[in-house]
Amino acid sequence: MAATTLQKPSLYDQLCALPNGVRGEIINGQLRTQPRPTGPHTLASSRLGSDIEGPYSRGRGGPGGWWIIDEPEVHFIPDREVEVPDIAGWRKERMPRLPDGHRFQVVPDWVCEILSPATKSTDREEKMPIYASFGVAYSWLVDPKTRTLEAYALTDGKWLPLGIYRDDDVVRVAPFDRVSIHLMDLWV
């Protein structure tokens, strides 16, 4: 009698099978999970996204020409390197249409991670280098606890700091420097 071999589900199959309320990503070939974000995290993400989405995605009071998406599943390497930034943006000239499904396979032009105690080191030490290696042009780190926004531009494969902004600063920062963002609105 032949032995039956059970095939272990792929990392992506495991990611898809996570229970409700658990977020997951495949980072450097490992499945990583975390609970849903806290209130301050969600508030900062929602408000920042809406500040950018109106002028840059819809063209209301700004230039338009972007897709601004909350928590897209970005497949840098299909089903093997799958990050989920809190917010990401694509220039419509590079990605004229949104994908029909949930898999984004075009590298974003901008990503934003909202830092929390559970994700801070992963976002900064693991995901930032991944974003750089795949050519994401801009990256922002927003920390509701320290009330900061750190902005970076990719230059020669390395992150160049554009600035660290705090508390109640009103900022204009690339790639969204045609509108003012009131940081005070992001904090509880």
Side-chain angles (χ1 to χ4, degrees), residues 36-98:
R36 296 295 306 157
T38 63
H41 177 119
T42 304
L43 178 73
S45 182
S46 296
R47 288 190 173 168
L48 180 61
S50 69
D51 283 351
I52 296 168
E53 199 269 339
Y56 280 88
S57 189
R58 295 183 186 197
R60 293 181 181 162
W66 284 75
W67 298 109
I68 305 297
I69 307 292
D70 293 331
E71 297 186 357
E73 189 176 283
V74 181
H75 289 245
F76 290 108
I77 301 174
D79 301 342
R80 292 188 19 231
E81 190 67 54
V82 182
E83 273 69 34
V84 182
D86 289 300
I87 316 169
W90 290 261
R91 294 178 191 275
K92 289 182 180 177
E93 63 200 26
R94 288 190 54 251
M95 188 173 75
R97 294 186 43 201
L98 287 176

Side-chain angles (χ1 to χ4, degrees), residues 37-46 86 112-117 119-120 123 141-149 167 183-184 186-188:
T38 63
H41 177 119
T42 304
L43 178 73
S45 182
S46 296
D86 289 300
C112 179
E113 295 290 358
I114 311 297
L115 304 179
S116 67
T119 65
K120 184 183 242 178
D123 290 340
L141 298 174
V142 173
D143 190 335
K145 186 172 184 173
T146 61
R147 298 164 55 128
T148 56
L149 182 154
D167 299 320
L183 293 186
M184 186 56 83
L186 308 183
W187 324 129
V188 175

Side-chain angles (χ1 to χ4, degrees), residues 102-113:
H102 64 278
R103 297 174 189 217
F104 288 74
Q105 295 185 348
V106 175
V107 172
D109 294 292
W110 168 79
V111 293
C112 179
E113 295 290 358

Side-chain angles (χ1 to χ4, degrees), residues 157-176:
K158 295 184 176 24
W159 291 117
L160 174 69
L162 298 176
I164 299 175
Y165 310 95
R166 303 184 177 321
D167 299 320
D168 60 353
D169 288 347
V170 177
V171 302
R172 288 179 176 257
V173 62
F176 305 115

